Amino acid sequence: MSDLSVVIVGGLHADARRATVARLLADVPGSVVLHHDLSTAPAGTVVRTVSDATGVLATGETPLVNDCACCALREDLVPELARLARGGTTPLAIVELWDSVEPKAMAEVIASGGLRLTGVITAVDPALLLPYLGNGDDLAERGLAAAATDQRTVADTFARQLEYAPVLAVAESPETDDEDRELLTQLHPTARRVLIGHGGGQGGEGRPAPRGVVGPMGVAMSSGFLESPESPESPESSEFSEFSKFSVPSEPSEPSTPFELFEPSESSAFRAPSGSAEPSVPSRGPASDPDGTPMPASRNPGPADIPRTPLAAAAFAGFDVEAAATAQHPAMALLPAEADAHGVSTLVWHRRRPFHPERLYAALEDLTCAAARSRGRFWLADKPDTLVHWDAAGGALCVEAAGPWLASLPDAAWELVPPVRRAAAALDWHPEHGDCCQHLVFTSPGLDCDGLERLLESCLLTDAEYAAGRDAWKRLPPVFDTFLEV
């Protein structure tokens, strides 16, 4: 195979997604975009389109597989990418996902096909964050279902699209305000954000990473702020500016605002792909061979020839599928920290006493509706050995068993546990209960943190119930069995 790089661009915010794709096509000469339109699935087919910066190059159809449009996409995508790789003339294949397709499944399909996935980007319009997170409609009601059995909602689908991607392409609309931007920051604080132009990617800007930050997937971004490809390499041009324009700015940029640095622990689920590094890309000037000879027009550029725009750099930065999956696992997820700014708050609630199942069940509706987004892991007294996943958005809650707490495993079984899982458990380890704990995070504008904490505390075992011990806990009413499919 050639040196083809593949980047996934997804998200329910279709205008922002298209603007991101258009920007990438403009920034990476010779790149192409593959898009599978799942809206034609009711007719029995999925329509594939291959385009470049000049327009549509080819179209085709693939039949549904098991009445599932996403299954058809999986069957068709890897062969199409392999065809591009064999051609040897395409430096970057942009996989633009259809609205409700989630990047995790497609990233794993591409990686398993032996292709080089170098980036996953979710495109967002911050002004639409709250409306989408608050939308509990089924995808089927909106014509966005990927299969007849698709029971996902708009809110939970959007939340997973947002939180899986290490890079967010931010296409701000005129309605975007500071509260919207802060909500985006608190929902995915470790994401690398690239600000692009809205409406077809015309004249975008790049939101750089702060100096000294280690970004998602462990990729170090210590060079400060990303530069405009045409701007001179000087502190005045970009290093100390908050945004780096794709064109030469006519006036000096405003000084940057302070950033809160992200310092990952040794057990962070994010890590760089083996042997990966940020691409060595020139900041300006025509592409040329190592000896300085200008590259012939007939030869397509490789990663080293791509202009150093923030979005292009993100597309080639590297992506580790295993680390990304680890970062989404409820036992190891790197959840947001406490925050409070611009009317948006994140409450981190951490306790070392189990929930009384009946009292928690009675409070579920209030807890689910208390925040635009909540997630984490929790501990039920009647099932003390089971780690339970909490995932809520749009007024809907998903609760599911996520395997055992490590404290419940015999010593011999620890050899089978991945090191990153053991490291994550060590951070929560308690002499008596091991890693069993409550770790829930709630993020929302106007969050009533005090009231939420009181409600959560009321669901814990009382002192007398706690003192009764595990045998007594297990006799409590198993009201969560329906959720956990027990």
Side-chain angles (χ1 to χ4, degrees):
M1 292 221 174
S2 73
D3 290 333
L4 176 73
S5 293
V6 181
V7 60
I8 291 173
V9 178
L12 275 165
H13 297 174
D15 288 345
R17 189 183 70 238
R18 293 179 190 121
T20 302
V21 170
R23 183 73 265 172
L24 276 171
L25 287 173
D27 288 349
V28 185
S31 61
V32 299
V33 55
L34 282 76
H35 178 64
H36 288 78
D37 186 351
L38 274 56
S39 66
T40 59
T45 60
V46 171
V47 176
R48 176 206 328 116
T49 304
V50 181
S51 309
D52 65 7
T54 66
V56 176
L57 300 175
T59 60
E61 291 185 351
T62 185
L64 293 189
V65 176
N66 300 323
D67 292 324
C68 172
C70 267
C71 299
L73 192 163
R74 292 188 186 99
E75 292 292 323
D76 191 66
L77 180 60
V78 169
E80 281 299 307
L81 290 172
R83 180 183 61 80
L84 287 172
R86 287 193 299 271
T89 61
T90 305
L92 180 68
I94 306 160
V95 176
E96 183 194 354
L97 301 180
W98 189 69
D99 296 10
S100 68
V101 178
E102 296 183 26
K104 182 177 184 293
M106 292 303 106
E108 291 170 355
V109 165
I110 292 169
S112 67
L115 295 151
R116 185 172 65 177
L117 180 64
T118 57
V120 174
I121 300 171
T122 292
V124 297
D125 180 343
L128 298 178
L129 283 175
L130 201 55
Y132 275 67
L133 283 175
N135 190 334
D137 292 349
D138 291 337
L139 292 175
E141 296 174 23
R142 297 291 180 177
L144 296 172
T149 56
D150 195 341
Q151 297 181 341
R152 296 174 297 156
T153 69
V154 171
D156 63 41
T157 301
F158 175 67
R160 285 189 292 271
Q161 289 176 338
L162 180 74
E163 293 157 7
Y164 180 78
V167 177
L168 302 179
V170 183
E172 292 192 347
S173 59
E175 294 78 17
T176 301
D177 58 22
D178 288 341
E179 181 181 281
D180 300 325
R181 298 183 187 97
E182 183 62 28
L183 179 59
L184 181 60
T185 297
Q186 292 189 29
L187 287 170
H188 197 346
T190 62
R192 177 179 181 179
R193 285 170 291 162
V194 179
L195 185 64
I196 64 170
H198 194 70
Q202 300 300 313
E205 294 179 335
R207 178 63 180 259
R211 179 181 297 280
V213 166
V214 176
M217 299 301 113
V219 178
M221 295 182 283
S222 59
S223 60
F225 297 97
L226 297 173
E227 301 169 357
S228 161
E230 296 87 0
S231 61
E233 296 176 341
S234 66
E236 290 78 18
S237 65
S238 63
E239 188 174 356
F240 297 103
S241 63
E242 184 176 7
F243 298 109
S244 297
K245 298 180 182 293
F246 289 115
S247 59
V248 179
S250 58
E251 297 179 0
S253 302
E254 292 294 325
S256 64
T257 54
F259 288 87
E260 182 176 345
L261 300 185
F262 163 58
E263 296 291 348
S265 66
E266 291 182 1
S267 63
S268 169
F270 296 129
R271 58 187 173 86
S274 177
S276 70
E278 284 207 44
S280 175
V281 292
S283 62
R284 61 187 185 278
S288 60
D289 286 322
D291 62 359
T293 304
M295 189 177 68
S298 60
R299 198 184 90 194
N300 265 305
D305 304 312
I306 305 304
R308 191 184 173 92
T309 64
L311 193 59
F316 286 98
F319 186 80
D320 188 323
V321 171
E322 290 184 8
T326 296
Q328 300 304 306
H329 191 284
M332 298 167 281
L334 190 63
L335 299 172
E338 293 236 359
D340 185 9
H342 298 293
V344 182
S345 300
T346 294
L347 170 68
V348 177
W349 191 74
H350 196 281
R351 296 292 185 274
R352 298 189 180 278
R353 180 173 294 200
F355 279 128
H356 188 288
E358 283 187 313
R359 290 199 293 275
L360 177 62
Y361 189 88
L364 284 182
E365 183 176 355
D366 290 337
L367 291 171
T368 301
C369 297
R373 177 74 171 131
S374 56
R375 47 189 161 140
R377 53 189 176 269
F378 66 100
W379 184 23
L380 281 172
D382 64 311
K383 294 175 178 55
D385 296 329
T386 301
L387 186 156
V388 190
H389 183 206
W390 177 287
D391 188 69
L397 171 67
C398 176
V399 170
E400 59 183 354
W405 297 101
L406 292 196
S408 68
L409 297 179
D411 291 345
W414 278 59
E415 296 297 325
L416 305 177
V417 177
V420 66
R421 174 71 192 278
R422 297 199 298 269
L427 294 176
D428 281 332
W429 202 260
H430 182 272
E432 184 178 357
H433 303 302
D435 57 331
C436 302
C437 67
Q438 318 290 358
H439 190 172
L440 298 175
V441 176
F442 298 80
T443 299
S444 187
L447 189 66
D448 179 7
C449 295
D450 292 339
L452 184 54
E453 284 198 87
R454 286 193 296 271
L455 181 58
L456 288 164
E457 298 285 349
S458 73
C459 299
L460 294 173
L461 295 182
T462 64
D463 289 345
E465 291 165 341
Y466 180 77
R470 285 190 169 226
D471 288 341
W473 301 352
K474 292 178 180 179
R475 293 193 293 270
L476 292 171
V479 294
F480 278 85
D481 281 3
T482 302
F483 282 94
L484 305 179
E485 299 180 352
V486 175

